[in-house]
Amino acid sequence: WRNGFHSNLWINRTYLYCYGIAFLLLHEQAHHSLQHLQRHTDEQDELNADSSAFWSIFNDISGDNRISANAGMLCVFFSFLMFDPEQKLVEDHPTDYKRMFTIYDEIKDEHPKYTQLLKGLLDFWASVNAVDDYPFGLSESEETIEQIHQFLETKYNICT
């Protein structure tokens, strides 16, 4: 399946979903292995569990599967944003924005199309949620992703 980004970035739709689910399961398993269940978890615990899950997947795959896995992990947090665009439901967790941008920062140098993918997801999110003053129409670059990141921090008073 070729994605809608008119590119040579090959994403297997089934793998995208499977790796997204695997990321979530590995995240929860990491809470056990990192002994987070012995106490109330905080933001840093969540980031540590994300990191453990990310590296468990990232280090074990390559090629087209890796592209699908990385896209799947970005899509996990994108799906959370669709249901809670202003991050009002986030309490002891880092914002889904922060978590998504953290994953992006780890993978952006692997393939330039990750920037295009993230920008497309965020533009779609802003359109669906009628986000005032969202910076539509920008180029697909790392600078644009940083500009959108700064916009979200300011718009929703989010410290990432």
Side-chain angles (χ1 to χ4, degrees):
W1 172 71
R2 285 241 184 243
N3 64 21
F5 292 95
H6 311 292
S7 71
N8 62 352
L9 180 61
W10 188 264
I11 297 177
N12 181 303
R13 182 173 47 194
T14 301
Y15 290 167
L16 179 134
Y17 298 135
C18 290
Y19 284 119
I21 292 167
F23 174 81
L24 292 172
L25 294 172
L26 286 166
H27 168 96
E28 295 306 324
Q29 187 275 333
H31 283 302
H32 290 277
S33 64
L34 296 170
Q35 300 180 350
H36 293 165
L37 301 180
Q38 308 298 327
R39 57 182 162 61
H40 181 73
T41 60
D42 59 18
E43 248 189 67
Q44 191 57 51
D45 290 340
E46 292 299 325
L47 292 172
N48 290 344
D50 283 352
S51 179
S52 176
F54 171 80
W55 289 110
S56 292
I57 293 172
F58 189 85
N59 286 332
D60 286 344
I61 56 175
S62 61
D64 288 346
N65 286 345
R66 188 167 178 146
I67 292 169
S68 297
N70 290 339
M73 289 185 279
L74 285 176
C75 287
V76 164
F77 295 112
F78 171 72
S79 67
F80 293 165
L81 291 177
M82 290 303 290
F83 294 105
D84 186 19
E86 295 181 15
Q87 299 293 271
K88 291 181 179 178
L89 300 177
V90 177
E91 291 179 9
D92 296 331
H93 286 62
T95 64
D96 297 316
Y97 301 108
K98 179 175 186 171
R99 297 167 83 183
M100 184 169 55
F101 286 116
T102 299
I103 297 290
Y104 170 75
D105 286 342
E106 294 292 346
I107 66 173
K108 67 184 177 186
D109 295 331
E110 285 254 320
H111 200 294
K113 294 298 181 178
Y114 292 130
T115 300
Q116 187 179 17
L117 173 63
L118 183 58
K119 182 180 180 302
L121 292 172
L122 290 168
D123 285 355
F124 176 72
W125 166 84
S127 176
V128 167
N129 290 289
V131 178
D132 292 334
D133 303 324
Y134 181 84
F136 286 107
L138 300 176
S139 66
E140 293 165 348
S141 67
E142 288 184 32
E143 293 78 23
T144 293
I145 297 299
E146 182 57 32
Q147 187 174 349
I148 293 170
H149 189 170
Q150 294 301 317
F151 168 80
L152 293 171
E153 284 185 349
T154 303
K155 175 85 174 169
Y156 297 110
N157 198 23
I158 297 168
C159 296
T160 58

